Amino acid sequence: MLETDKLFAGSIPENYDRYMVPLIFEPFAVDIAQRAAALSPGAVLEIAAGTGVVTRALAPRLSPDASYVVTDLNQPMLDYAASRQTPDSRIEWRQADAMALPFEDAAFDLVCCQFGAMFFPNRTSAYREARRVLKPGGRFLFNVWDRIEENVFADDVTNALARIFPDDPPRFLARTPHGYHDKVLIRRELEDAGFSDVTIETRAEQSCASSPRLPAVAYCQGTVLRSEIEARDAGKLDAATDYAASAIADRHGNGEVAAKIQAYVIMAVA
């Protein structure tokens, strides 16, 4: 992962929430929220919350006396998440680095994270922090994307951009969001951090959009891929988006489009 892979700033948070969340994140957020709520946690910490899709799904499912601390490293993403959330006295918003959580030991029953682990500079260290703030027997619940070939629109966009920029193809999607899919490695890093009873479940969903342009805009303008495109040619963002949309249309049609997305859902016990 490059340092720039973490820079969700400018118009990216709004475009991310407008396009990426309904395209790929909402079904997995509902799944994470259901699994989390089934544990009946009294104190919840969410790390790498992004624009708050899990927060919006989980908060209504928690008990009235639960506490819910929502964090992200990226303040613009966290600010956007807070702006989208219904006022809720149980929720505390805090900027926080998953590598150095500003919380006491054994403070939470559950730590959850949706599609954030891929961005941790040192995952084992982040996992140790998650375990440190969990009570004995507490759960760490998170998900990560499977390889890019199992996530069709992301693969379509990546391959299209490689044709536009053949000498230096933008590889953000393959490198980082879809770069942490080795189940043996995931299990080993969690166990090295002190977790036990690690379960890893493969879960497939459908990514649906009303037109081929929506996934193209989502990936090209609602993720750090936008910064990669602009770094290669600042004037080519719209043309690159159009080309990606054409590539999706060529493969999936010009009307409503749908394609597979796939992730791993991981649970570990502190």
Side-chain angles (χ1 to χ4, degrees), residues 20-208:
M20 291 298 292
V21 165
L23 185 71
I24 62 173
F25 291 122
E26 279 182 346
F28 288 102
V30 170
D31 175 67
I32 285 283
Q34 291 173 339
R35 293 171 191 261
L39 299 171
S40 300
V44 179
L45 170 65
E46 184 179 351
I47 54 179
T51 57
V53 61
V54 169
T55 315
R56 295 191 291 275
L58 178 53
R61 292 174 164 87
L62 295 176
S63 67
D65 58 349
S67 64
Y68 190 0
V69 182
V70 182
T71 70
D72 197 275
L73 176 65
N74 191 294
Q75 189 65 49
M77 295 286 271
L78 194 64
D79 291 343
Y80 194 87
S83 76
R84 288 289 317 277
Q85 183 67 39
T86 301
D88 190 328
S89 61
R90 299 170 302 168
I91 299 176
E92 176 186 356
W93 304 92
R94 288 191 63 175
Q95 191 276 338
D97 186 346
M99 308 291 295
L101 294 171
F103 306 109
E104 298 293 327
D105 296 356
F108 299 96
D109 302 301
L110 171 70
V111 174
C112 64
C113 179
Q114 165 135 300
F115 299 121
M118 308 89 69
F119 294 89
F120 299 158
N122 184 317
R123 285 180 292 268
T124 302
S125 294
Y127 296 162
R128 286 196 186 100
E129 275 292 273
R131 185 177 181 276
R132 178 185 66 79
V133 302
L134 278 167
K135 299 173 184 177
R139 303 303 206 277
F140 182 29
L141 172 64
F142 67 104
N143 52 20
V144 298
W145 291 115
D146 199 350
R147 64 196 186 102
I148 196 167
E149 291 82 2
E150 300 289 350
N151 291 270
V152 176
F153 288 147
D155 198 35
D156 291 341
V157 169
T158 298
N159 292 334
L161 294 180
R163 295 191 289 273
I164 298 178
F165 302 102
D167 297 329
D168 187 16
R171 295 288 295 169
F172 165 71
L173 295 176
R175 181 178 62 246
T176 300
H178 297 282
Y180 185 49
H181 50 76
D182 183 334
K183 290 189 281 189
V184 173
L185 175 62
I186 294 168
R187 184 180 301 276
R188 183 173 71 242
E189 290 182 337
L190 284 164
E191 291 174 346
D192 286 349
F195 283 100
S196 62
D197 297 328
V198 177
T199 62
I200 303 175
E201 176 185 326
T202 303
R203 185 175 183 88
E205 297 279 359
Q206 282 286 298
S207 178
C208 302

Side-chain angles (χ1 to χ4, degrees), residues 151-157 206-207 209-213 215 244-260:
N151 291 270
V152 176
F153 288 147
D155 198 35
D156 291 341
V157 169
Q206 282 286 298
S207 178
S210 59
S211 74
R213 183 164 180 80
S246 296
I248 293 171
D250 288 345
R251 183 173 180 186
H252 303 280
N254 287 302
E256 293 184 3
V257 292
K260 178 185 178 184

Side-chain angles (χ1 to χ4, degrees), residues 10-23:
S11 63
I12 291 177
E14 182 177 358
N15 284 336
Y16 177 99
D17 198 67
R18 180 179 179 184
Y19 297 112
M20 291 298 292
V21 165
L23 185 71

